[in-house]
Amino acid sequence: MIDNEDHRPAARLARRRFLTVTGAATALAFATGLPGGASAGAAVAGLPDDPFTLGVASGDPLPHAVVIWTRLAPRPYEPLGGMPYQPVPVEWQVAADERFRHVVRSGKTVARPEYSYSVHVDVRGLEPGRHYWYRFRADKHLSLAGRTRTAPAPGRRVDRLTFAVASCQSWPDGYYTAHSHLADENVDAVVFLGDYIYEYGISTSGGLRDLADPVPSQFRTEADTLDRYRLQYALYKSDPDLRAAHQNAPWIPVWDDHEVQDNYANLISRTNAPVEDFLVRRASAYRAYWEHMPLRSPAPQGPDYMLYRRFTFGRLAELNVLDTRQYRSDQASGDGWKTDSEARRDPARAFAGAQQQQWLLNGIRRSPATWNLLANQVVMSRMDQDPTDGSLYNMDAWDGYAAEQKQTLDGLAALRGRNPVVLTGDVHAAYAMDMKRDFTDPASETFGVELVTTSISSGGNGTDVSAVGQKFYDANPHLKLVNERRGYLVVSLTQRELRADYRAVPYVDRTGAPVSTIKSFTVEAGEPGLNPV
């Protein structure tokens, strides 16, 4: 294992300076007032407590626009976050500098009780490829400032892009120390691949976290209603390291299963609930997800929400965000790890679905970008867990939907020259894989790579390589890395090369863990395949 615990001193110094300067700007704004501040404050009965307890965020960057987000919740574990049941005016500003001396966009919006007082402002008219700072005001309270960045202009030559990739942050499984380090990375965006929350009930002890106060009793039941999902997001966003990661860079989020229910499949509940009942639960979960993510309006209407989408970063990269949960057929063979079967290979069973698959492949085919990234929830490449002559596949991953898996992989192989790179989460382990035309033949042509990020906290401290991880190594010659510590992935792109740095912390059951790069790979443009650094 490569151990280079640099702790990013320059990045940490820059972050401390950013927080100090924005704190000073907040104090100055209290003294001078935001434009229209008095009239906006007069429109509400008064908020005695700070309503910005859940922080600020930005996301889904376009060349001339970005979404900025907050939610008013002075007492986040009370109904409606402790807000009065009435619309509340909120002012916002976007500036070209961290001291807000050059405000380029500003306005007013309304935080409404029916959306749990969440605020989503799609700020337009910005310049491409540059940093901005933003903040909100409600009544006399001013939020901390966040930093965001727009995407480069379409067709523009871009010399370098850097993305952080993360997933799976079970709150009771440990501290979000990895997010603290991620907040120090100088990235253009954070790609979050799902399991932002886990729907499970939380004991009053708080799991692996050493809490001064017990978790309120309302968290002991599983989240399955709108109010209960809102509470779960409020608890997760109470973590200062998560808020810092949101505050430092725009996020491009997508869900997996735990934002609704573990391993659900389209209309199929894991607990076999009646479809009508599960649709109500799914609608509540989707609504709460939108309320707490920096996503564009409109909000989901009922149990459906089209979340797959594409982002262009000049001529250097396109990012295709997939939704592999909402459209899939039920898992084959009762889910879990199973041997090969006719059900697994049934061509009638959907995964991403025909419409999304066509959108993906057609988009990559037309893409002018050097690198074409796929933000994907579950492992796309073949992953056999049986190192003998048998086979054992995950029925919840692409392996469990072999016909659509083959169609998609064949489509990507035909687009080898577009440099496809699959970014994946879900499995609470860091994997790096060459993607093969025939995964059973080590000599088969490599057409792309799959980079799997480990979890932020899910699974506890973890280990370097478990017994199951060794089975994966032994059964899959295209697999070049297994590591089961907690952390995230940093992907840096140039016109000539992709570099993947796997970052991890040694423990999450207590605070203060350092971060190190456990392994790095490069991929040359036009020459798919992982090269260890």
Side-chain angles (χ1 to χ4, degrees):
M1 183 174 75
I2 298 174
D3 186 3
N4 58 341
E5 295 181 3
D6 57 8
H7 301 284
R8 302 289 167 106
R12 289 186 180 277
L13 181 62
R15 180 179 165 204
R16 285 197 297 270
R17 178 177 177 272
F18 167 59
L19 294 176
T20 301
V21 169
T22 53
T26 297
L28 179 63
F30 270 118
T32 61
L34 285 166
S39 61
V44 67
L47 302 174
D49 300 317
D50 177 18
F52 298 108
T53 59
L54 304 183
V56 298
S58 68
D60 277 17
L62 302 177
H64 297 285
V66 70
V67 177
I68 59 174
W69 171 95
T70 193
R71 179 189 157 199
L72 308 184
R75 294 182 292 280
Y77 305 148
E78 294 184 7
L80 293 176
M83 290 290 292
Y85 192 83
Q86 65 181 85
V88 176
V90 178
E91 299 165 90
W92 57 269
Q93 286 182 325
V94 174
D97 66 301
E98 56 194 345
R99 293 182 181 273
F100 287 82
R101 290 173 175 168
H102 304 288
V103 174
V104 298
R105 290 289 183 271
S106 62
K108 299 178 183 178
T109 187
V110 177
R112 301 185 180 279
E114 56 265 36
Y115 295 112
S116 196
Y117 300 95
S118 62
V119 173
H120 302 72
V121 181
D122 190 1
V123 183
R124 299 275 169 167
L126 303 176
E127 295 179 13
R130 66 155 297 160
H131 281 110
Y132 288 95
W133 288 259
Y134 62 95
R135 62 187 179 187
F136 301 90
R137 180 172 182 169
D139 191 24
K140 62 180 180 292
H141 300 282
L142 193 69
S143 74
L144 290 175
R147 187 181 74 159
T148 190
R149 185 174 177 86
T150 52
R156 180 183 175 186
R157 177 179 173 85
V158 179
D159 293 328
R160 187 179 185 87
L161 288 168
T162 304
F163 300 101
V165 185
S167 73
C168 301
Q169 52 187 31
S170 174
W171 189 89
D173 279 12
Y175 290 94
Y176 291 167
T177 312
H179 270 314
S180 175
H181 295 295
L182 189 154
D184 290 330
E185 305 278 0
N186 187 23
V187 298
D188 294 282
V190 176
V191 182
F192 196 86
L193 297 174
D195 294 347
Y196 190 96
I197 64 166
Y198 283 65
E199 78 281 17
Y200 304 137
I202 300 170
S203 70
T204 55
S205 66
L208 289 182
R209 293 178 176 238
D210 184 15
L211 303 179
D213 299 313
V215 177
S217 60
Q218 61 262 43
F219 288 96
R220 297 186 70 177
T221 61
E222 182 171 311
D224 61 358
T225 66
L226 179 56
D227 286 343
R228 184 63 185 83
Y229 282 115
R230 286 168 169 170
L231 278 173
Q232 204 81 337
Y233 281 101
L235 179 66
Y236 278 56
K237 285 179 175 289
S238 72
D239 187 281
D241 293 331
L242 175 57
R243 295 200 304 269
H246 273 296
Q247 191 179 350
N248 190 56
W251 280 41
I252 300 173
V254 67
W255 55 40
D256 191 20
D257 55 338
H258 285 288
E259 287 86 354
V260 181
Q261 185 190 53
D262 180 34
N263 281 23
Y264 86 96
N266 193 350
L267 306 181
I268 309 299
S269 163
R270 185 173 185 178
T271 56
N272 295 315
V275 170
E276 316 85 65
D277 293 345
F278 188 66
L279 282 173
V280 173
R281 176 173 181 166
R282 198 173 97 165
S284 297
Y286 285 8
R287 169 95 159 237
Y289 181 81
W290 178 86
E291 288 176 350
H292 291 85
M293 293 294 112
L295 295 167
R296 286 184 167 82
S297 297
Q301 300 299 314
D304 303 300
Y305 185 51
M306 185 170 169
L307 194 58
Y308 67 84
R309 58 211 192 277
R310 179 176 293 118
F311 297 91
T312 301
F313 297 84
R315 298 204 311 268
L316 184 54
E318 281 197 348
L319 175 67
N320 301 273
V321 181
L322 304 185
D323 176 359
T324 61
R325 191 59 59 178
Q326 187 176 179
Y327 310 107
R328 63 163 66 189
S329 302
D330 195 11
Q331 290 90 346
S333 305
D335 205 355
W337 287 84
K338 301 292 174 58
T339 57
D340 192 15
S341 64
E342 290 186 10
R344 186 181 85 89
R345 290 180 271 106
D346 183 355
R349 296 176 62 251
F351 189 62
Q355 178 176 314
Q356 186 176 185
Q357 183 190 61
Q358 184 179 24
W359 165 87
L360 170 67
L361 296 176
N362 286 345
I364 295 177
R365 188 174 296 112
R366 294 190 296 264
S367 171
T370 300
W371 300 96
N372 286 275
L373 311 177
L374 285 68
N376 164 70
Q377 290 73 62
V378 294
V379 174
M380 182 179 286
S381 301
R382 174 184 179 269
M383 279 288 277
D384 186 358
Q385 198 188 90
D386 187 349
T388 70
D389 292 336
S391 61
L392 201 59
Y393 299 119
N394 183 358
M395 296 297 107
D396 190 56
W398 284 82
D399 271 331
Y401 300 77
E404 187 169 325
Q405 179 189 42
K406 184 177 187 305
Q407 289 175 353
T408 303
L409 293 176
D410 286 349
L412 293 176
L415 298 169
R416 177 181 184 274
R418 304 294 191 196
N419 295 308
V421 176
V422 179
L423 307 174
T424 300
D426 178 64
V427 291
H428 309 169
Y431 300 145
M433 290 176 272
D434 286 335
M435 302 183 79
K436 297 282 190 177
R437 283 189 178 270
D438 181 356
F439 286 102
T440 65
D441 179 7
S444 177
E445 181 189 42
T446 298
F447 64 84
V449 299
E450 182 166 8
L451 309 174
V452 183
T453 184
T454 186
S455 63
I456 291 292
S457 62
S458 302
N461 290 334
T463 187
D464 288 333
V465 182
S466 68
V468 171
Q470 189 60 51
K471 288 182 179 180
F472 285 135
Y473 257 142
D474 296 341
N476 301 279
H478 58 283
L479 181 61
K480 308 302 180 183
L481 170 69
V482 175
N483 188 277
E484 295 164 85
R485 296 292 183 187
R486 307 298 149 234
Y488 54 92
L489 172 66
V490 176
V491 177
S492 303
L493 305 170
T494 68
Q495 292 290 344
R496 303 179 66 175
E497 176 182 272
L498 175 151
R499 180 184 174 108
D501 293 311
Y502 287 85
R503 309 273 284 161
V505 296
Y507 51 84
V508 295
D509 60 351
R510 57 197 186 279
T511 60
V515 69
S516 62
T517 299
I518 56 173
K519 189 70 176 179
S520 296
F521 295 92
T522 61
V523 181
E524 296 180 22
E527 296 292 336
L530 294 163
N531 304 301
V533 175

